[in-house]
């Protein structure tokens, strides 16, 4: 199976050491994490990890099972880019004189929808958000004009057909949960699986 | 004892709620509430408050002072394996904690329920490179099912309740709780101990889907050549009876993994032997002949599967396991049955047709005859003067009747013992299966004896492995575990030597290991012993060992360059198993 970008979304308890426990699952298999974001989720007290990797679907599925096996992980999902709305944010520090003198740079920033965050005599800080390729292109362009500093944030992503975790967490809190908390890929693809 | 009496005894033994106690007392209270009777440990600076509290718990808890923390955790593992309960080990911070690492990794890969409690430097010193400070939580993250650092005594009751719950539910595993010294000393308002029975982020047993059980039954009923592989999951799930009813109704030939041995008595008519690299001929060959492979509580380790792309490709696979991460991990499953096999097996059995597979079973028996002719007969009945490991095990079987707990270390003696030992009851085979930890045998046997003090516990160990943890003779000396130690001495690191002979052109590189006078060493520890160099003395010596009241060490000199066969060489298919 070919490698492609997958975004893994993990809902966890907010406890110390979770990052280590989760990233260890990747590094142990010599899999590079391209970006990792941790944040609160839609449910209070529940953390959300967004992990971007490039691997085959089979590998990603196995990784998700290993992640879900961790005691403090509630659920791990994996999605292709098509199944997500995703963004990455970037900050650029550009010399002020370049902006003042080069009309092209200003046009460029407008074109990419970059917003000014800070203006100073010596430099201006812009912010933009978008897909990786757009940010990469802008970075490349600005590189030609004495870009002083650049940083890109980790990918954050919303799963298009997810109903969120509010209903699920109630299931998890029950001692005898219903079947709906255990999504089952075999059952979802039953006809493909039971080919006898 | 009735439940009421039990509760009353517990009340008499434990501290009432709403009392001020120290964190250390809370730790020991938790152990009492969890039914722990034995702790294996070694004190040190950072765990001194717990040991101080232990001074007053002398009558409620037995503490076995091991000679090295690795011995402590292996003993806790051995205890867990024979008792079916949680093994507990104490260690101090720093080197004490790092000495647990091998045992934790071993317990993790072999799914042993173990709770380790380590002392840690004062919370105020964390991260300052304090004396005997080590980041044990980070070190042990990949080799624990769960770990946690406590810095406030108020957390101790609930954290320990979680630890015991996690260690023994679902797929069991090791849990490490690191407690800073200030938390051990701290006095707090104890609100009593409440056992944990639910953690919202933790689903120990997957919900059983009936439709899978039905699909699995349909597939199994359609099989002409069904073949069952069983692992330690049967033992961990306490499902020996359920498993037996399952295979008996279906008439399935069944083979054990190393870890699954003793879940089904060796002499059961459907038991066709052991799987894997040094397993039996028939089950390995027939893996690539069967039409439906039914795996129960096993994980398709590479030592079992050999070359994966030539493993059971012709077969449909039904995999019963409690751990969803095991499904499809190594071998693609046709029908997965997630859940506790104690529940899924009876559900499946109910749907089975009663079929006669005796002709198919007979094919296993035919191959077995070949193995007997080529390998087993000579191993068990050697004609030369040189003793074989196999004949020692054979004699032992006759003397124990298959009722002993057999603990092994790692290497040739382990494979020979697993191949030839007769097991009549479950929880009788204690060995380091997944991690292959040399040095496991002696301390694990000590723990195994405390876990089953009424049974004969025999530690079969090579001349290499015994020297890795020989210091635990001191533990036996001091506390009197009645462990029988049987050293099979071939004056080599035999398994590595075998590989060097077969695959490295006999270039014996550092496998020639010398030994001390083991009997004299034992004597130094006030343990009786004997050494046997000739066959005529073997039976008598084994008998003396078994009849001796107390621990005993018997060294048997066996052939230096004997090999363990059959063998599935690395990188080859199970059906390419070689008999010589």
């Amino acid at each position: 199976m070919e490698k492609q970008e997958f975004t893994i979304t993990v809902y966890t308890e907010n406890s110390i050491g979770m990052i280590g426990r989760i990233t260890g699952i990747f590094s142990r298999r010599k899999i590079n994490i391209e970006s990792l974001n941790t944040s609160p989720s839609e449910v209070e007290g529940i953390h959300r990890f967004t992990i971007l990797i490039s691997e085959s679907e089979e590998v990603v599925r196995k990784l998700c099972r290993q992640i879900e096996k961790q005691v403090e992980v509630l659920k791990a999902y994996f999605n292709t880019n098509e199944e997500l709305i995703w963004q990455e944010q970037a900050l650029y520090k550009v010399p002020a004189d370049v902006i003042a003198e080069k009309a092209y740079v200003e046009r460029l920033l407008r074109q990419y929808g970059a917003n000014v965050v800070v203006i100073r005599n010596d430099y201006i800080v812009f912010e933009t958000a978008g897909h990786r390729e757009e940010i990469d292109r802008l970075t490349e362009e600005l590189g030609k004009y004495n870009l002083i500093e650049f940083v890109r944030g980790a990918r954050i992503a919303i799963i298009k057909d997810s109903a969120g975790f509010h209903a699920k967490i109630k299931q998890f809190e029950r001692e005898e949960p219903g079947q709906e908390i255990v999504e089952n890929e075999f059952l979802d693809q039953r006809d493909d699986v039971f080919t006898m | 004892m009735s439940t009421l009496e039990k509760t009353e005894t517990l009340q008499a033994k434990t501290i009432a709620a709403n009392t001020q106690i120290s964190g250390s007392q809370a730790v020991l209270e938790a152990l009492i509430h969890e039914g722990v009777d034995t702790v294996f440990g070694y004190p040190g600076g950072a765990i001194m408050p717990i040991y101080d509290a232990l001074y007053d718990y002398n009558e409620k808890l037995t503490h076995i002072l091991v000679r090295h923390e690795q011995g402590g955790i292996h003993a806790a593992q051995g205890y867990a394996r024979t008792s079916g309960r949680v093994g507990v080990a104490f260690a101090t911070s720093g080197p004490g904690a790092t000495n647990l690492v091998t045992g934790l990794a071993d317990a993790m890969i072999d799914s042993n329920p173990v709770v380790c409690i380590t002392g840690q430097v004062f919370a105020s010193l964390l991260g300052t490179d304090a004396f005997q400070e080590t980041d044990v939580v980070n070190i042990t993250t990949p080799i624990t099912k769960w770990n946690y650092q406590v810095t406030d005594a108020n957390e101790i009751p609930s954290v320990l309740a979680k630890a015991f719950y996690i260690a023994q539910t679902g797929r069991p595993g090791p849990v490490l709780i690191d407690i800073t010294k200030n938390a051990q000393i701290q006095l707090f308002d104890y609100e009593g101990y409440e056992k944990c029975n639910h953690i919202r982020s933790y689903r120990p047993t997957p919900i059983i889907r009936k439709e899978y059980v039905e699909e699995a039954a349909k597939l199994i009923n359609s099989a002409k050549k069904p073949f069952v592989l069983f692992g330690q999951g049967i033992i961990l799930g306490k499902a020996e009876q359920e498993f037996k009813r399952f295979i008996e109704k279906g008439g399935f030939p069944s083979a054990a993994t190393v870890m699954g041995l003793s879940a089904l008595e060796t002499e059961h008519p459907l038991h066709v032997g052991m799987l894997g690299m040094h397993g039996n001929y028939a089950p390995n060959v027939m893996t690539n002949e069967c039409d439906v492979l039914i795996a129960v509580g096993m994980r398709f380790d590479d030592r079992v599967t050999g070359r994966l792309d030539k493993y059971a490709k012709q077969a449909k696979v039904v995999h019963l396991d409690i751990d969803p991460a095991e499904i499809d991990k190594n071998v693609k499953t046709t029908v997965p049955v997630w859940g506790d096999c104690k529940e899924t097996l009876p559900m499946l059995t109910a749907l089975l047709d009663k079929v006669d597979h005796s002709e198919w079973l007979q094919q296993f028996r035919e191959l077995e005859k070949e193995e007997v002719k080529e390998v087993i007969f000579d191993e068990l009945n050697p004609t030369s003067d040189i003793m074989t490991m196999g004949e020692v095990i054979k004699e032992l079987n006759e003397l124990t009747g298959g009722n002993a707990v057999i603990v092994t270390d790692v290497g040739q003696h382990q494979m020979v013992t697993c191949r030839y030992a007769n097991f009549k009851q479950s929880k009788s085979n204690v060995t380091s299966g997944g991690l292959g930890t040399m040095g496991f045998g002696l301390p694990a046997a000590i723990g195994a004896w405390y876990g089953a003090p009424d049974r004969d516990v025999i530690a079969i160990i090579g001349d290499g492995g015994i020297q890795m943890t020989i210091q635990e003779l001191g533990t036996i000396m001091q506390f009197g575990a009645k462990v029988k130690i049987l050293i099979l001495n071939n004056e080599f690191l035999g398994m590595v030597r075998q590989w060097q002979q077969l695959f490295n052109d006999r270039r014996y590189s550092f496998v020639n290991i010398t030994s001390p006078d083991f009997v004299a060493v034992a004597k130094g520890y006030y343990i009786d012993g004997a050494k046997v160099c000739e066959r005529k003395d073997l039976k008598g010596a084994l008998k003396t060992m078994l009849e001796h009241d107390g621990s005993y060490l018997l060294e048997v000199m066996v052939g230096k360059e004997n090999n363990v066969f059959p063998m599935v060489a690395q990188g080859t298919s199970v059906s390419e198993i070689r008999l010589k």
Side-chain angles (χ1 to χ4, degrees):
Chain A
M1 265 193 276
E2 240 174 82
K3 287 189 180 183
Q4 65 174 113
E5 278 192 349
F6 280 96
T7 303
I8 299 173
T9 305
V10 190
Y11 289 92
T12 77
E13 296 292 347
N14 181 14
S15 49
I16 291 170
M18 274 319 286
I19 293 185
R21 226 171 226 287
I22 289 175
T23 55
I25 292 169
F26 294 83
S27 56
R28 160 174 189 192
R29 294 170 175 80
K30 221 169 161 63
I31 292 169
N32 194 24
I33 292 175
E34 291 182 26
S35 92
L36 164 69
N37 185 78
T38 68
S39 76
S41 73
E42 59 272 22
V43 181
E44 205 187 322
I46 300 292
H47 244 57
R48 182 170 174 148
F49 283 60
T50 307
I51 304 165
L52 176 65
I53 62 164
S54 222
E55 271 300 334
S56 70
E57 188 179 330
E58 196 187 335
V59 169
V60 176
R61 172 174 294 121
K62 286 180 189 173
L63 284 170
C64 280
R65 292 233 182 105
Q66 294 295 337
I67 293 169
E68 239 171 53
K69 190 166 150 176
Q70 303 305 315
V71 167
E72 282 156 326
V73 169
L74 290 128
K75 198 79 199 135
Y77 300 97
F78 64 95
N79 295 95
T80 59
N81 288 346
E82 292 71 45
E83 295 164 342
L84 298 166
I85 316 284
W86 53 277
Q87 288 277 45
E88 285 166 12
Q89 197 186 26
L91 293 175
Y92 302 89
K93 191 200 272 181
V94 187
D97 52 354
V98 171
I99 307 292
E101 286 160 21
K102 299 239 171 23
Y104 172 75
V105 175
E106 195 192 325
R107 260 208 317 281
L108 198 66
L109 292 166
R110 282 174 189 280
Q111 186 192 326
Y112 281 90
N115 299 312
V116 174
V117 184
V118 166
I119 302 177
R120 281 183 34 156
N121 285 343
D122 45 350
Y123 63 78
I124 299 175
V125 175
F126 295 95
E127 163 278 329
T128 184
H131 282 192
R132 167 80 56 89
E133 305 78 55
E134 297 160 358
I135 291 170
D136 284 351
R137 267 201 303 279
L138 180 59
T139 314
E140 198 187 320
E141 289 289 340
L142 289 177
K144 299 171 191 163
Y145 301 97
N146 305 335
L147 176 61
I148 303 168
E149 220 180 303
F150 160 70
V151 63
R152 188 180 66 215
R155 167 180 290 198
I156 51 173
I158 293 279
I159 304 167
K160 283 179 186 165
D161 61 4
S162 163
F165 217 69
H166 295 288
K168 285 236 168 66
I169 191 72
K170 292 206 177 78
Q171 283 283 328
F172 275 99
E173 274 160 2
R174 272 196 245 157
E175 282 185 31
E176 294 291 335
Q179 292 200 342
E180 52 269 46
I181 67 150
V182 192
E183 273 114 22
N184 197 312
E185 75 211 47
F186 285 97
L187 205 64
D188 298 344
Q189 312 160 7
R190 232 181 129 168
D191 296 335
D192 304 335
V193 176
F194 301 136
T195 50
M196 287 169 284
Chain B
M1 215 191 297
S2 75
T3 325
L4 187 68
E5 281 170 35
K6 250 186 194 165
T7 321
E8 279 174 359
T9 328
L10 199 61
Q11 273 170 358
K13 277 171 91 177
T14 56
I15 294 178
N18 305 316
T19 322
Q20 265 231 335
I21 63 169
S22 70
S24 297
Q25 281 175 292
V27 169
L28 302 178
E29 284 298 306
L31 300 188
I32 307 275
H33 279 276
E34 292 292 345
V36 175
D37 52 21
T38 310
V39 174
F40 304 91
Y42 204 101
I47 199 168
M48 278 185 64
I50 289 178
Y51 273 84
D52 181 56
L54 195 56
Y55 193 83
D56 297 325
Y57 281 74
N58 217 354
E59 283 168 18
K60 303 173 191 167
L61 281 171
T62 304
H63 178 276
I64 305 299
L65 176 68
V66 292
R67 292 301 184 266
H68 185 287
E69 290 85 353
Q70 184 186 357
I73 183 162
H74 287 332
Q77 294 178 266
Y79 176 92
R81 295 274 282 274
T82 52
S83 70
R85 287 151 54 199
V86 178
V88 179
F90 284 176
T92 192
S93 65
T98 55
N99 281 344
L100 295 175
V101 167
T102 304
L104 286 168
D106 195 287
M108 185 71 176
I109 200 163
D110 280 347
S111 306
N112 300 153
V114 170
V115 170
C116 290
I117 292 172
T118 50
Q120 180 57 281
V121 300
F122 285 87
S124 58
L125 292 175
L126 285 172
T128 64
D129 302 327
F131 177 66
Q132 292 194 330
E133 184 200 357
T134 189
D135 184 359
V136 66
V137 171
N138 263 319
I139 289 173
T140 60
T141 291
I143 48 169
T144 49
K145 187 172 172 188
W146 186 61
N147 62 9
Y148 189 80
Q149 184 175 65
V150 176
T151 52
D152 178 351
N154 285 290
E155 285 187 300
I156 287 174
S158 63
V159 166
L160 280 175
K162 258 179 97 171
F164 277 88
Y165 177 59
I166 291 167
Q168 62 191 316
T169 50
R171 181 178 180 173
V175 172
L176 181 137
I177 304 299
D178 192 37
I179 308 177
T180 56
K181 201 168 178 180
N182 58 294
Q184 297 171 39
I185 298 166
Q186 184 190 343
L187 293 172
F188 72 108
D189 294 323
Y190 179 60
E191 288 169 5
Y193 187 82
E194 211 171 303
K195 279 198 181 189
C196 175
N197 59 9
H198 174 69
I199 299 168
R200 71 174 175 185
S201 58
Y202 172 59
R203 293 265 145 261
T205 41
I207 295 162
I208 297 165
R209 292 288 180 95
K210 243 183 105 194
E211 40 293 37
Y212 288 98
V213 179
E214 285 162 7
E215 291 291 341
K218 225 193 284 174
L219 182 56
I220 296 169
N221 283 334
S222 74
K224 297 272 174 293
K225 298 188 280 183
F227 180 28
V228 170
L229 317 179
F230 64 96
Q232 195 195 194
I234 309 281
I235 300 171
L236 294 171
K238 301 178 173 67
E240 293 90 348
Q241 291 311 316
E242 289 79 358
F243 176 70
K244 205 190 281 190
R245 276 195 283 274
F246 168 71
I247 60 166
E248 283 174 354
K249 184 166 181 192
F252 309 131
S254 306
T257 65
V258 165
M259 296 299 291
L261 287 171
S262 86
L264 179 69
E265 63 267 25
T266 315
E267 284 168 357
H268 191 282
L270 290 168
H271 199 315
V272 294
M274 185 174 88
L275 293 162
M277 185 172 266
H278 292 291
N280 292 106
Y281 189 57
N284 275 306
V285 170
M286 294 311 236
T287 301
N288 281 358
E289 298 290 330
C290 65
D291 59 358
V292 175
L293 196 65
I294 307 153
V296 190
M298 55 85 75
R299 60 185 178 84
F300 293 108
D301 178 83
D302 61 286
R303 286 295 196 266
V304 161
T305 63
R307 195 171 151 171
L308 256 188
D309 61 357
K310 288 187 179 172
Y311 183 81
K313 286 293 167 198
Q314 80 296 341
K316 297 267 204 283
V317 179
V318 177
H319 193 173
L320 286 78
D321 208 288
I322 200 166
D323 179 2
E326 288 301 336
I327 307 291
D328 280 353
K329 190 183 80 179
N330 296 333
V331 171
K332 265 270 183 248
T333 307
T334 318
V335 182
V337 181
W338 296 357
D340 186 341
C341 61
K342 179 121 186 138
E343 291 173 52
T344 54
L345 280 170
M347 289 168 76
L348 201 49
T349 309
L351 300 174
L352 287 187
D353 301 334
K354 203 161 166 54
V355 189
D356 177 36
H357 287 298
S358 54
E359 240 172 79
W360 163 237
L361 179 64
Q362 192 50 37
Q363 292 182 40
F364 283 80
R365 297 302 175 205
E366 292 303 320
L367 290 176
E368 191 182 303
K369 279 182 201 158
E370 217 170 306
E371 187 183 346
V372 168
K373 190 172 138 240
E374 297 287 336
V375 182
I376 300 174
F377 187 81
D378 289 342
E379 176 72 27
L380 301 187
N381 310 284
T383 44
S384 82
D385 290 342
I386 296 167
M387 279 191 281
T388 64
M389 292 184 181
E391 70 176 310
V392 180
I393 308 301
K394 186 183 101 175
E395 295 288 356
L396 197 62
N397 284 339
E398 281 167 17
L399 292 168
T400 63
N403 288 311
V405 172
I406 303 289
V407 184
T408 45
D409 207 77
V410 170
Q412 283 188 318
H413 74 278
Q414 175 194 32
M415 290 296 104
V416 171
T417 305
C418 287
R419 285 177 54 76
Y420 299 111
N422 182 14
F423 297 109
K424 277 228 169 70
Q425 52 173 310
S426 184
K427 299 197 189 78
S428 296
N429 175 46
V430 179
T431 194
S432 168
L435 199 68
T437 306
M438 281 178 71
F440 175 83
L442 182 59
I446 295 172
W449 184 81
Y450 284 100
D454 298 331
R455 298 185 64 188
D456 283 332
V457 175
I458 304 165
I460 303 174
I461 309 177
D463 47 319
I466 186 79
Q467 293 190 59
M468 281 201 178
T469 46
I470 199 162
Q471 77 283 349
E472 298 307 330
L473 290 175
T475 309
I476 294 176
M477 166 184 73
Q478 188 171 354
F479 297 95
K482 296 181 181 177
V483 175
K484 314 295 180 188
I485 304 156
L486 176 57
I487 298 176
L488 299 180
N489 187 347
N490 58 8
E491 299 169 82
F492 266 122
L493 297 173
M495 188 58 91
V496 180
R497 186 209 53 76
Q498 174 171 345
W499 283 49
Q500 287 178 349
Q501 178 192 339
L502 297 175
F503 309 118
N504 293 355
D505 210 16
R506 258 196 135 89
R507 286 153 53 89
Y508 288 170
S509 183
F510 300 99
V511 288
N512 185 354
I513 188 169
T514 56
S515 292
D517 179 341
F518 288 121
V519 177
V521 171
K523 195 169 169 235
Y525 283 102
Y526 307 100
I527 294 168
D528 287 336
K531 178 173 176 173
V532 171
C533 302
E534 285 181 62
R535 180 167 297 125
K536 63 177 173 51
D537 303 324
L538 177 63
K539 194 168 200 132
L542 284 169
K543 229 170 146 208
T544 306
M545 174 182 86
L546 292 171
E547 284 167 2
H548 185 82
D549 183 28
S551 183
Y552 193 88
L553 182 144
L554 178 65
E555 179 186 8
V556 179
M557 301 306 290
V558 294
K560 285 186 73 165
E561 294 187 75
N562 289 355
N563 288 336
V564 189
F565 281 113
M567 180 175 192
V568 180
Q570 200 150 46
T572 65
S573 159
V574 283
S575 48
E576 296 170 282
I577 180 169
R578 50 195 279 192
L579 285 165
K580 52 183 133 189

